[in-house]
Amino acid sequence: MNEIKGIVSDIKKGEIRPIYFLMGEESYYIDSLTKYIENNILSEEEKGFNQVILYGKDVDMDEVISNAKRYPMMAERQVIVVREAQHLVRSIDKLLPYAEQPQPTTVLVFAYKGKSLDKRKKIYKALQKNGVILDAKKLYDNQIPDWIRRVLKGGGYTIDPKASEMLVEFLGNDLGRIANELEKLKGIIPRTEVITPEHIETNIGISKDFNNFELKSAIAERDVMKAGRIIKYFSQNPGDHPVLLTVALLHSFFAQVLAYQGLPSHHDKNAVARAIGLKGTYPLRDIGTAARNYPMKKVSNIIHVLREVDAKSKGVGVYQLPPGDLYKELMFKIMY
């Protein structure tokens, strides 16, 4: 995020580089920065003759370079955008001579998704010297609630931690989908209101009562009745609540509980959160509750059970069982 803000800030100040090589696993950042460059380097009048959109699967590197070497018409610069540039991976080294001496009146943008250049190669060093390289890394699941908070804060909005957890559970780590839903919420909810689980349920269609966040809390508290109601709902709606996702989230949760139990002290919440890999202290409530309700030996056993159920859900060693049966087995072995 800070790297992208820096690039955008430089462009706003008129510090525009001749090449922007946007690469990596997180397509949301690549798309966002590509769109910003498309919309903000040239005026609308200049774009007609001086902005060209190419697609990596439809062109070769020679054609890209040929376009980049043209001079702008009645404008200070031209913008050449190569979308889906990862299709040019086999000919990327052909870009080296141009990267070493880029056309100063061209802004050449590569949206190179899902891949990253080898930093040891000459092409990487040339692009780094004469242009801008963005290597967009995927966020870990536990980083996304904090990302949601920061994105909303930038627009003057705040969100309840449980609401952000619900978004992550429902939408996963797809930042593009999450950003779209956040835009929807910002169009509905005033800045003066905190975005709550009720807002998520009403406007996005995620149940505030029957989700993995609530299941995790019920298990932490050893609330058998509440956990039972949730897994019944999950069993009836397996398409929206796949066993694999629930098992993965619970495995991560109990791994954090085990790490929490191994700490010598729990007084400094910020230090505890850092030690077990959390971006904030809010999840410590359920982790601390589970640590008190499940001895360390039991937590280790639960992690083993979660691995077994994960294998069974994939049909390993047994015929693939119905989701309802897997959920029942999982809850029984955790709670008792």
Side-chain angles (χ1 to χ4, degrees):
M1 283 283 283
N2 290 335
E3 192 174 356
I4 291 174
K5 286 179 180 177
I7 294 169
V8 169
S9 177
D10 287 345
I11 291 172
K12 286 180 177 178
K13 291 185 289 188
E15 298 173 9
I16 300 169
R17 305 300 297 276
I19 306 177
Y20 291 86
F21 201 92
L22 315 177
M23 63 184 189
E25 297 177 344
E26 185 46 74
S27 60
Y28 171 77
Y29 289 131
I30 295 171
D31 288 338
S32 298
L33 194 48
T34 301
K35 185 176 180 181
Y36 181 84
I37 292 171
E38 289 177 15
N39 291 339
N40 292 279
I41 299 288
L42 302 178
S43 68
E44 290 302 319
E45 294 76 18
E46 292 171 332
K47 288 178 184 177
F49 290 108
N50 297 289
Q51 186 151 293
V52 177
I53 308 297
L54 304 172
Y55 290 85
K57 63 181 178 180
D58 299 327
V59 298
D60 58 30
M61 190 60 76
D62 291 334
E63 189 174 346
V64 172
I65 294 168
S66 176
N67 275 274
K69 285 183 174 180
R70 288 192 302 107
Y71 287 95
M73 293 180 63
M74 297 177 290
E76 184 181 350
R77 295 182 179 87
Q78 68 162 347
V79 175
I80 310 295
V81 176
V82 187
R83 295 178 181 166
E84 306 298 335
Q86 66 274 12
H87 291 285
L88 297 169
V89 61
R90 293 182 180 177
S91 59
I92 198 69
D93 288 331
K94 285 187 175 183
L95 182 63
L96 180 59
Y98 181 85
E100 290 177 332
Q101 290 186 307
Q103 182 84 345
T105 55
T106 293
V107 179
L108 178 58
V109 183
F110 287 89
Y112 194 83
K113 297 180 182 179
K115 299 178 182 293
S116 293
L117 297 179
D118 187 336
K119 294 181 180 181
R120 298 167 296 179
K121 298 187 76 170
K122 289 182 179 179
I123 182 62
Y124 182 94
K125 294 173 182 176
L127 290 167
Q128 189 177 49
K129 179 181 178 182
N130 297 315
V132 171
I133 294 179
L134 173 74
D135 193 356
K137 306 288 188 185
K138 275 278 187 190
L139 294 181
Y140 294 112
D141 288 351
N142 68 339
Q143 295 175 309
I144 296 176
D146 187 56
W147 180 86
I148 291 171
R149 182 189 61 78
R150 286 186 284 116
V151 167
L152 288 171
K153 185 179 179 182
Y157 292 85
T158 54
I159 187 168
D160 181 273
K162 179 181 174 181
S164 63
E165 292 275 0
M166 287 169 64
L167 284 171
V168 175
E169 182 205 332
F170 189 68
L171 300 172
N173 62 358
D174 187 333
L175 299 189
R177 287 183 67 198
I178 294 172
N180 287 338
E181 296 298 344
L182 293 181
E183 286 302 313
K184 185 193 297 183
L185 292 169
K186 287 193 283 186
I188 298 168
I189 301 165
R191 286 186 175 88
T192 52
E193 291 186 28
V194 176
I195 297 171
T196 65
E198 286 74 20
H199 289 130
I200 302 298
E201 182 174 45
T202 303
N203 298 293
I204 300 179
I206 308 170
S207 172
K208 67 181 177 63
D209 296 316
F210 299 102
N211 56 67
N212 280 313
F213 184 88
E214 288 297 324
L215 178 62
K216 185 173 62 177
S217 294
I219 291 172
E221 294 166 3
R222 299 197 86 145
D223 187 334
V224 177
M225 295 296 290
K226 182 179 178 181
R229 288 193 299 270
I230 295 171
I231 64 161
K232 182 179 179 181
Y233 179 85
F234 283 8
S235 301
Q236 293 168 345
N237 300 274
D240 293 332
H241 300 282
V243 176
L244 277 172
L245 176 60
T246 299
V247 169
L249 291 171
L250 290 177
H251 186 277
S252 175
F253 174 69
F254 277 105
Q256 290 167 341
V257 172
L258 193 63
Y260 178 94
Q261 290 173 322
L263 295 175
S265 171
H266 303 125
H267 294 300
D268 185 339
K269 289 186 177 181
N270 290 316
V272 170
R274 287 194 299 272
I276 63 177
L278 299 175
K279 299 296 286 186
T281 60
Y282 181 77
L284 287 177
R285 184 188 63 182
D286 283 341
I287 290 171
T289 300
R292 291 189 294 274
N293 285 333
Y294 298 90
M296 186 178 282
K297 186 176 180 180
K298 174 65 175 175
V299 173
S300 297
N301 178 256
I302 289 170
I303 291 173
H304 176 71
V305 167
L306 287 162
R307 289 173 181 159
E308 284 185 342
V309 174
D310 177 70
K312 287 181 181 179
S313 71
K314 297 170 182 173
V316 177
V318 294
Y319 291 110
Q320 201 153 6
L321 297 171
D325 291 349
L326 287 170
Y327 275 123
K328 288 175 185 175
E329 177 184 346
L330 182 61
M331 288 304 105
F332 180 81
K333 289 184 175 179
I334 287 176
M335 295 293 203
Y336 299 103

